[in-house]
Amino acid sequence: MRVLRRLLTVLLLALCAACSGGGGSAEDGKGAASGPGRAGTAHPPSGTGREAGFPDANTTGPRVPLTPHDTGDMAIRTDGTVIKGWDITGSLDIYANDVTIVDTRITSANWWGINLRPGYRGLKVLHSTITAVPGNGPDNGGVDYAVSNMSTSAVEVGWCDISVFGNALSMGQGHIHDNYVHDLVPFRNAGGEWQHTDAVISGGSNKGRLIIRHNTLLNPVAVGQGASASIGLFSDTGPVSNTVVDGNLLAGGAYTLYGGGKDATGITVTNNVFSTRYHRNGGGYGAVTAWNADGSGNVWRGNRFTDGTPVTPAPAG
């Protein structure tokens, strides 16, 4: 009997150990329930390992419950307007100073989600989600800008979750920080050509400073469908100057970064991580192009691929 009892005890202990070890616990990370932003959901984290710690769906977007507002395409004309806690179906066209959009969701079918008109200043877009429905936009089904700055004053965009638009953040001056830009959607414009897509785009001739710091800027669009850049500093309307690109996670595009071209000055590109999640060289053709190493005030330092390999730009062509 003693031998039988011993045998039963050993079997019971073995069974208990198997039950406690197989499923894991919340503390050891095994068997934990999936939540928003976990792998396998529509919005996975921005990355693991060397890509960890950058903005993602868990650190951006509204922090409060939202109330539906079917505004359509609305113009704001009162200085100091604050919109908070709205779930907007429509777009916002800003003809006023010191407007703040915070803890809000915008689903636009217009050319933009939010647009600051010339001559106005002080726009802040914080802790918000700005998106669209693919195929429902005015540009042959596409939508062009999540936030557009047509003014010569700075716009702040921070802690926002931005998706779908062709050129997500379009501005020559402003403070773009802690945002998650992802899932840009390709489309052919009204002329039948593929719309160029960029997570951030600047056209040159900026009148103030542009700071792009600690964002996740992803451009998954195929090169053959119009992918341009993660950050595109282009000299379309004049020389690019006075721009900071620091501490971002960048991925995709034809080139991940367009560096301003041969006349660019005062551009500092520091401590950015170039992800290879879409292309083995960051972008379809490479990590960076159009970098003017000899431009006054231009600095390239501490930029690397996710495996730690330094990113070294070729001379501007």
Side-chain angles (χ1 to χ4, degrees), residues 50 94 170 181 215 235:
R50 294 179 188 272
I94 313 299
S170 176
V181 180
N215 304 277
S235 55

Side-chain angles (χ1 to χ4, degrees), residues 41-69:
T41 67
H43 298 290
S46 61
T48 57
R50 294 179 188 272
E51 292 190 19
F54 289 96
D56 60 21
N58 298 314
T59 62
T60 57
R63 303 161 297 177
V64 301
L66 305 180
T67 303
H69 285 75

Side-chain angles (χ1 to χ4, degrees), residues 71-119:
T71 64
D73 300 329
M74 182 172 72
I76 296 178
R77 302 181 183 276
T78 302
D79 289 354
T81 296
V82 176
I83 291 178
K84 181 174 183 177
W86 289 22
D87 188 349
I88 293 172
T89 302
S91 65
L92 300 177
D93 206 1
I94 313 299
Y95 295 86
N97 298 318
D98 302 319
V99 172
T100 299
I101 315 299
V102 61
D103 291 316
T104 288
R105 177 182 174 90
I106 293 174
T107 304
S108 174
N110 200 358
W111 297 94
W112 54 77
I114 302 171
N115 182 43
L116 180 64
R117 289 288 178 169

Side-chain angles (χ1 to χ4, degrees), residues 54 209 211-215 231 243-250 257 267-274 291 297-304 311:
F54 289 96
R209 196 178 197 197
I211 300 172
I212 307 168
R213 177 169 283 134
H214 195 243
N215 304 277
I231 297 178
T243 299
V244 173
V245 180
D246 177 65
N248 302 282
L249 175 64
L250 311 174
L257 172 68
I267 314 296
T268 65
V269 182
T270 54
N271 304 315
N272 299 283
V273 174
F274 287 71
W291 173 252
N298 291 351
V299 175
W300 183 278
R301 184 180 63 247
N303 303 294
R304 62 199 184 280
V311 176

Side-chain angles (χ1 to χ4, degrees), residues 176-210:
I176 298 170
H177 64 91
D178 300 291
N179 301 290
Y180 176 42
V181 180
H182 59 101
D183 294 316
L184 304 183
V185 173
F187 64 91
R188 294 184 187 272
N189 60 26
E193 300 174 338
W194 285 108
Q195 166 70 33
H196 287 181
T197 61
D198 303 88
V200 175
I201 186 170
S202 176
S205 292
N206 43 309
K207 305 300 183 184
R209 196 178 197 197
L210 177 61

